[in-house]
Amino acid sequence: MNERFIVSESELVRQREFAARVRQFPDRPQTFHIVTMGCQMNERDSETIAGMLAGMGMRPEAVREKAGLILYNTCCVRENAENRALGNVIWLKELKKERPELLICVGGCMAQEAGMAERMKAMYPFIDLVFGTHNMHRLPEYLLRVLESRHPVVEVLESDGVIVEGLPQERASAFSAFVNIMYGCNNFCSYCIVPYVRGRERSRERQSVLDECKRLVDQGVQEITLLGQNVNSYRGGGSEFAELLRRVDALGVPRLRFMTSHPKDLSDELIAAYGELEHLMPNLHLPVQAGNNAILQAMNRRYTRERYLELVNKLRSVKPEIGLTTDIIVGFPGETEEQFEDTLSLVRAVRYDSAFTFIYSKRAGTKAAQMPDNTPEPVKSERIQRLIALQSDISREILTAQVGRRETVLVESLSARDEGWIGGKTPRGHMVNFPGKPDLIGQLVRVEILSAGRNTLRGKMITEV
Ligand code: 5AD
Ligand code: SF4
């Protein structure tokens, strides 16, 4: 089923030849800086882009203004993400006046949007390269063309999408890794532009995924997050994803997570996996989007509020301490006050650990963009504020209930607030800060939870016998 998507080995050889020619190009950029917007998929793509740029002889530069090549990996899921990307790119025009040799590249979902590449070409001629999500692997070829011609290159392919195996990678973290298992989405939720810019669902071969995970485990990675727009339909759905999880779990990675799953495809096998798999962490991101059945139907989500709540009950009966997180859209076209209140009551019933909340953003080309939307913006803002306030109370109560527990924490970073403190996540995904040395970053340590804040916990390291 996947053959038509897989990029051939000969194409990859061709790209490696272009990369070698870029490396030898006299005035090529020596350094690069990537700005990643949007979701984990983009973060993962940026690791591949970084790997390709490194293969072309460039070093990462942490300070954007100093880099010889600046690349924006963009998101278009909501209009404000798009405006932010465009605002950033326009600002680069000034930098380019000072440093004409600077190369500016724009890739990712926004570039893939219908008509956007042409618009960028016309309005922002200082951008050197625009490429889409389906032709990222051809970056060496495009960069060589930019260098040789010194003219902008705009290349966005209309495609159902591709799978590329074997590209170079520069992983952002040595201890926590994202692994793609599938690309694209077939769901066509009526508000969502993702299926248009990321193409049809296509799954990586199970063995390729397992080989990649095995290499990561051998390298000492502590956490693997399997990624897909809709992991439950991995290779046509059913028990395939649960089976993949089982096999990755058996590789012995200390922490296993995945995202994102669609409630309509959450199989009983997957729910059972929470009770069976040793390394699968007790948390699940299960986007609900709305709590009212008429809105769910208009969103084309293909589940009801009742079905969703039933799934939550099943999950909690298998794993009582599971932490659930979600995405919610407020102000979908036609949403009434009563319908919005159904979302509030669902949030009260489920008690999420946290929720990403969004005001509906109209995306051209989607079904919902045709639907009459009479709710004034101030009403939508007021609704989202009420939702945020409710969720924030619930989050705080859940965090407070963690006080006194002893948890294993994967140390991720220095604490931004307190010098001499470090922070990391519990299995359930709660962030804990505690005094500790930076050399613990990347390690699993035991921590006693001492207090709870609005979004994070505080604790102290403990040694247990
Ligand atoms: N408007 C607002 N939010 C959206 N999302 C996707 N499309 C839109 C849109 N048009 C949200 C959904 C999705 C998350 C990644 O972004 O909640 O789960
Ligand atoms: Fe968009 Fe729905 Fe696909 Fe998620 S499942 S990417 S919200 S169309």
Side-chain angles (χ1 to χ4, degrees):
M1 147 196 168
N2 277 326
E3 263 104 59
R4 74 191 178 99
F5 290 122
I6 292 180
V7 171
S8 68
E9 183 55 34
S10 61
E11 173 60 20
L12 289 182
V13 169
R14 232 180 108 238
Q15 292 304 324
R16 282 198 283 275
E17 286 163 9
F18 288 123
R21 284 169 62 192
V22 172
R23 238 178 1 250
Q24 283 147 18
F25 202 90
D27 298 322
R28 69 163 166 83
Q30 300 293 322
T31 56
F32 68 88
H33 181 98
I34 301 176
V35 180
T36 307
M37 311 177 115
C39 66
Q40 286 83 0
M41 290 289 213
N42 269 15
E43 282 180 41
R44 183 72 194 92
D45 283 354
S46 287
E47 293 180 341
T48 306
I49 292 171
M52 287 193 280
L53 292 171
M56 289 180 259
M58 297 175 220
R59 298 183 309 281
E61 164 58 64
V63 182
R64 181 176 48 175
E65 289 71 16
K66 287 194 193 158
L69 179 152
I70 302 177
L71 188 146
Y72 276 86
N73 192 7
T74 59
C75 168
C76 63
V77 79
R78 286 169 295 275
E79 196 182 359
N80 55 8
E82 211 169 276
N83 290 342
R84 207 149 34 96
L86 288 173
N88 264 287
V89 170
I90 292 166
W91 171 84
L92 289 179
K93 186 178 176 182
E94 300 306 313
L95 198 60
K96 190 139 177 164
K97 279 190 195 142
E98 288 165 34
R99 290 204 284 124
E101 75 287 0
L102 170 68
L103 288 191
I104 302 173
C105 309
V106 177
C109 296
M110 188 179 85
Q112 190 69 45
E113 234 180 299
M116 183 55 90
E118 290 309 309
R119 214 176 109 197
M120 284 202 272
K121 191 175 178 174
M123 290 175 64
Y124 314 115
F126 55 90
I127 301 177
D128 297 286
L129 170 61
V130 179
F131 62 102
T133 51
H134 302 309
N135 56 353
M136 187 175 88
H137 59 285
R138 289 173 68 179
L139 189 59
E141 174 183 351
Y142 300 147
L143 272 183
L144 182 67
R145 210 187 301 160
V146 170
L147 289 168
E148 283 179 344
S149 71
R150 280 282 156 190
H151 278 297
V153 170
V154 176
E155 285 274 356
V156 176
L157 303 185
E158 291 234 358
S159 161
D160 278 352
V162 293
I163 295 180
V164 192
E165 295 289 351
L167 285 178
Q169 319 282 338
E170 288 275 306
R171 298 235 177 221
S173 159
F175 54 86
S176 179
F178 290 133
V179 173
N180 278 124
I181 63 163
M182 59 180 300
Y183 305 89
C185 183
N186 287 352
N187 289 322
F188 290 94
C189 299
S190 63
Y191 49 82
C192 188
I193 200 168
V194 167
Y196 303 91
V197 294
R198 287 275 177 180
R200 295 294 62 71
E201 275 176 8
R202 53 218 186 265
S203 299
R204 287 180 68 194
E205 286 304 320
R206 184 202 278 159
Q207 201 51 49
S208 310
V209 174
L210 289 173
D211 290 347
E212 182 174 342
C213 292
K214 175 80 170 65
R215 277 196 300 277
L216 290 164
V217 173
D218 290 346
Q219 286 160 16
V221 158
Q222 304 280 1
E223 178 174 71
I224 289 179
T225 305
L226 302 179
L227 283 185
Q229 231 81 45
N230 180 15
V231 290
N232 303 124
S233 22
Y234 175 71
R235 289 176 116 199
S239 57
E240 282 276 5
F241 178 61
E243 178 59 25
L244 178 71
L245 264 186
R246 203 166 294 134
R247 291 190 185 213
V248 178
D249 186 75
L251 296 172
V253 64
R255 291 186 162 197
L256 177 56
R257 302 182 190 277
F258 63 87
M259 71 188 319
T260 292
S261 42
H262 194 303
K264 83 172 162 56
D265 302 317
L266 191 69
S267 66
D268 285 344
E269 284 101 328
L270 184 53
I271 294 175
Y274 276 99
E276 291 161 6
L277 302 186
E278 190 187 339
H279 309 287
L280 182 60
M281 293 291 104
N283 85 341
L284 176 64
H285 186 64
L286 196 61
V288 69
Q289 313 296 0
N292 173 272
N293 283 338
I295 295 292
L296 286 170
Q297 192 172 12
M299 286 177 161
N300 191 30
R301 291 291 289 177
R302 286 172 280 173
Y303 53 84
T304 60
R305 170 195 178 95
E306 292 72 28
R307 167 81 183 135
Y308 186 94
L309 290 172
E310 187 189 319
L311 289 172
V312 169
N313 283 339
K314 275 193 189 172
L315 282 159
R316 290 209 168 121
S317 65
V318 171
K319 196 82 185 171
E321 77 276 21
I322 196 166
L324 298 174
T325 59
T326 200
D327 294 342
I328 297 172
I329 298 177
V330 168
F332 185 80
E335 182 193 67
T336 65
E337 171 61 25
E338 290 70 38
Q339 289 170 331
F340 169 66
E341 282 170 16
D342 284 344
T343 296
L344 293 180
S345 78
L346 179 127
V347 166
R348 268 188 222 105
V350 177
R351 293 181 64 77
Y352 294 105
D353 280 12
S354 64
F356 296 96
T357 52
F358 311 103
I359 293 186
Y360 167 74
S361 170
K362 181 174 173 174
R363 306 281 61 209
T366 62
K367 274 244 172 66
Q370 315 287 326
M371 300 179 188
D373 183 5
N374 301 320
T375 317
E377 282 304 312
V379 173
K380 295 187 180 186
S381 302
E382 186 259 344
R383 282 183 195 162
I384 200 169
Q385 288 314 322
R386 282 157 65 199
L387 175 61
I388 291 170
L390 169 63
Q391 179 55 48
S392 140
D393 286 348
I394 295 170
S395 297
R396 204 185 180 118
E397 285 162 19
I398 291 175
L399 288 180
T400 304
Q402 311 304 311
V403 173
R405 289 178 64 110
R406 295 177 158 203
E407 297 283 7
T408 303
V409 172
L410 174 56
V411 186
E412 285 175 9
S413 55
L414 299 177
S415 156
R417 278 221 329 237
D418 301 291
E419 209 172 314
W421 285 51
I422 50 181
K425 294 212 180 73
T426 65
R428 188 161 158 171
H430 297 143
M431 188 74 191
V432 195
N433 291 306
F434 50 96
K437 297 233 160 59
D439 57 7
L440 290 172
I441 291 175
Q443 292 187 35
L444 294 163
V445 299
R446 292 287 288 166
V447 172
E448 184 174 331
I449 309 299
L450 298 177
S451 66
R454 290 195 78 73
N455 302 308
T456 57
L457 299 165
R458 291 181 150 221
K460 66 165 193 232
M461 268 195 314
I462 47 174
T463 37
E464 287 164 321
V465 273

